[in-house]
Amino acid sequence: MSEGNAPGFSLELNEDVRDVRDWAHGFAKDVIRPAAAEWDEREETPWPVIQEAAKIGLYSLDFFANQWLEPSGLGIPVAFEELYWGDPGIALAITGSGLAAVSVAANGTQEQLMEWTPQMFGTADDVKLAAFCSSEPNAGSDVSAIKTRAVYDQAKDEWVLNGVKTWATNGGIADIHVVVASVEPEFGSRGQATFVIPPNTPGLSQGQKFAKHGIRASHTAEVILDDVRIPGSCLLGGKEKLDERLARAREGRRSKGQAAMKTFEASRPTVGAMAIGCARAAYEYALEYSTQREQFGKPIGDNQGVAFQLADMATRIDAARLLVWRAAWMARNDKDFDNAQGSMSKLYASETATFVTQNAVRILGGNGYTREYPVERWHRDATIFTIFEGASEIQKLIIGRQITGLPVR
């Protein structure tokens, strides 16, 4: 190929993505951040903020769909970075429904996508929420250990679900719940399927609501399923597709993937972007503080010990963002994660968030340890990114298996 025909390469965001970035940043700066401390203390869903986001179209199916389908793949990561820069807890309350929508998109038919995703967001005048329910008391990172059971009642063309889900964002308060359940337990994760639980379905209730270390403005709770009956059409992908997958499992043939992991794989770069937003908030605050706070007659940033910390923070944030953007671009353009690039992006960005926020607290010293300054809250919030949607150790396991080709245990 001649040099003149070589494909171009650019890290410059296109105009549409820049516009959305600036719009999301303005909302984060003017609406989310001023409300952050209050809702963290209250540990309640910030309905007024969600409703404000809905009024301007930031909390809507159109917004999520348009950014998800943005050609470069960077629409969601760029927008989410700004929202989580505002406050991770409130941002998760705004974006939490998206994971359920991603699950429907990853596992469902086009008809199911059109039917259920509008009900996950509602309208500006009637806001709705959705919850994705995968984890269980004894099945977190090990999704193959899921015990929630789905049994098909052929006479009524209904599925009957029983079990307990935990760590569900919006669990119990959502209008739509998307639940991963086991149909054939002997096949582990290959015997699982994903189901939509419509609003007001009898048998679904909220269990314990968790009092959390961080992201406290986001509702996290158990979801109890007690003989929950749903129409056969609520099985994402349909029964024929499930039966084919189960037949392959019985014959020992390779499966094309399983329910929970398909959702997580699609969302990992997005979680990385959330972590970057949190890290950037702490870095920017610490940077400004270091130029204004004086000790021994000069700004503390004039000391190598502080300047070097800031240099490490800035470098890791930029490196994490590049990994997230690469993975998001690959996912949007149907490139295989042949080296587990999605897991790489989530791993590095989440660990960067904990590193950066911890160093921000240190730079502020005693002030950083008090609730008078926001870095304390960001430090608490950052921890979750190394845990949910696959802990850092699970990401390393995935990467290790991919790069070695061995069944790393």
Side-chain angles (χ1 to χ4, degrees), residues 120-140:
M120 294 180 175
F121 296 92
T123 65
D125 297 323
D126 186 19
V127 173
K128 305 293 185 183
L129 296 177
F132 178 69
C133 307
S134 175
S135 294
E136 296 182 2
N138 294 308

Side-chain angles (χ1 to χ4, degrees), residues 239-252:
K239 194 166 186 306
E240 182 178 345
K241 184 177 179 182
L242 172 63
D243 288 342
E244 291 174 357
R245 181 153 54 85
L246 293 175
R248 286 196 299 272
R250 292 188 189 97
E251 295 169 7

Side-chain angles (χ1 to χ4, degrees), residues 12 26 111 115 179 186 196 230 234 246 276 278 346 365 367:
E12 185 176 7
E111 292 75 20
E115 178 180 3
V179 175
E186 63 268 31
V196 173
I230 54 175
C234 290
L246 293 175
I276 293 167
C278 179
K346 197 268 184 185
N367 288 336

Side-chain angles (χ1 to χ4, degrees), residues 53-69:
K55 285 179 183 176
I56 65 170
L58 192 56
Y59 182 82
S60 69
L61 177 58
D62 282 347
F63 171 76
F64 279 83
N66 288 336
Q67 298 318 305
W68 190 261
L69 297 173

Side-chain angles (χ1 to χ4, degrees), residues 77-296:
V78 168
F80 277 30
E81 179 180 332
E82 300 306 324
L83 295 176
Y84 282 76
W85 171 90
D87 178 69
I90 292 178
L92 186 57
I94 293 172
T95 63
S97 297
L99 186 59
V102 168
S103 182
V104 175
N107 298 287
T109 65
Q110 189 65 28
E111 292 75 20
Q112 289 171 325
L113 189 67
M114 298 299 291
E115 178 180 3
W116 296 114
T117 53
Q119 297 184 56
M120 294 180 175
F121 296 92
T123 65
D125 297 323
D126 186 19
V127 173
K128 305 293 185 183
L129 296 177
F132 178 69
C133 307
S134 175
S135 294
E136 296 182 2
N138 294 308
S141 296
D142 181 12
V143 295
S144 66
I146 284 174
K147 299 298 183 186
T148 295
R149 190 71 195 278
V151 177
Y152 185 58
D153 183 342
Q154 187 168 359
K156 296 183 178 180
D157 185 27
E158 291 181 340
W159 288 92
V160 184
L161 276 66
N162 283 280
V164 177
K165 293 295 182 179
T166 194
W167 309 122
T169 299
N170 297 333
I173 66 171
D175 299 274
I176 300 290
H177 290 76
V178 179
V179 175
V180 179
S182 179
V183 178
E184 296 285 356
E186 63 268 31
F187 298 134
S189 60
R190 299 176 71 187
Q192 295 168 2
T194 307
F195 302 84
V196 173
I197 313 295
N200 303 314
T201 298
L204 185 148
S205 62
Q206 178 185 311
Q208 176 187 4
K209 178 187 175 183
F210 295 104
K212 304 191 300 295
H213 177 65
I215 55 166
R216 303 199 304 184
S218 172
H219 175 97
T220 310
E222 290 182 331
V223 174
I224 299 170
L225 305 162
D226 183 11
D227 282 339
V228 172
R229 284 186 167 267
I230 54 175
S233 60
C234 290
L235 165 63
L236 291 182
K239 194 166 186 306
E240 182 178 345
K241 184 177 179 182
L242 172 63
D243 288 342
E244 291 174 357
R245 181 153 54 85
L246 293 175
R248 286 196 299 272
R250 292 188 189 97
E251 295 169 7
R253 288 185 287 152
R254 185 177 178 84
S255 174
K256 294 182 179 179
Q258 49 89 1
M261 293 312 298
K262 288 182 72 174
T263 300
F264 293 141
E265 193 63 29
S267 65
R268 278 179 183 134
T270 301
V271 178
M274 299 173 184
I276 293 167
C278 179
R280 199 184 100 213
Y283 161 72
E284 290 176 358
Y285 197 96
L287 176 62
E288 183 177 5
Y289 184 90
S290 73
T291 63
Q292 297 176 354
R293 172 74 167 175
E294 291 193 358
Q295 290 285 290
F296 306 106

Side-chain angles (χ1 to χ4, degrees), residues 13-80:
L13 300 174
N14 65 49
E15 184 177 358
D16 289 342
V17 173
R18 292 200 305 271
D19 287 346
V20 170
R21 177 197 63 191
D22 296 344
W23 179 43
H25 182 80
F27 185 82
K29 177 176 179 289
D30 298 335
V31 181
I32 293 178
R33 188 164 282 191
E38 174 190 352
W39 291 100
D40 177 71
E41 289 288 342
R42 291 175 64 166
E43 296 191 60
E44 297 175 358
T45 301
W47 284 107
V49 183
I50 298 174
Q51 287 164 347
E52 284 297 313
K55 285 179 183 176
I56 65 170
L58 192 56
Y59 182 82
S60 69
L61 177 58
D62 282 347
F63 171 76
F64 279 83
N66 288 336
Q67 298 318 305
W68 190 261
L69 297 173
E70 193 279 322
S72 72
L74 301 184
I76 287 287
V78 168
F80 277 30

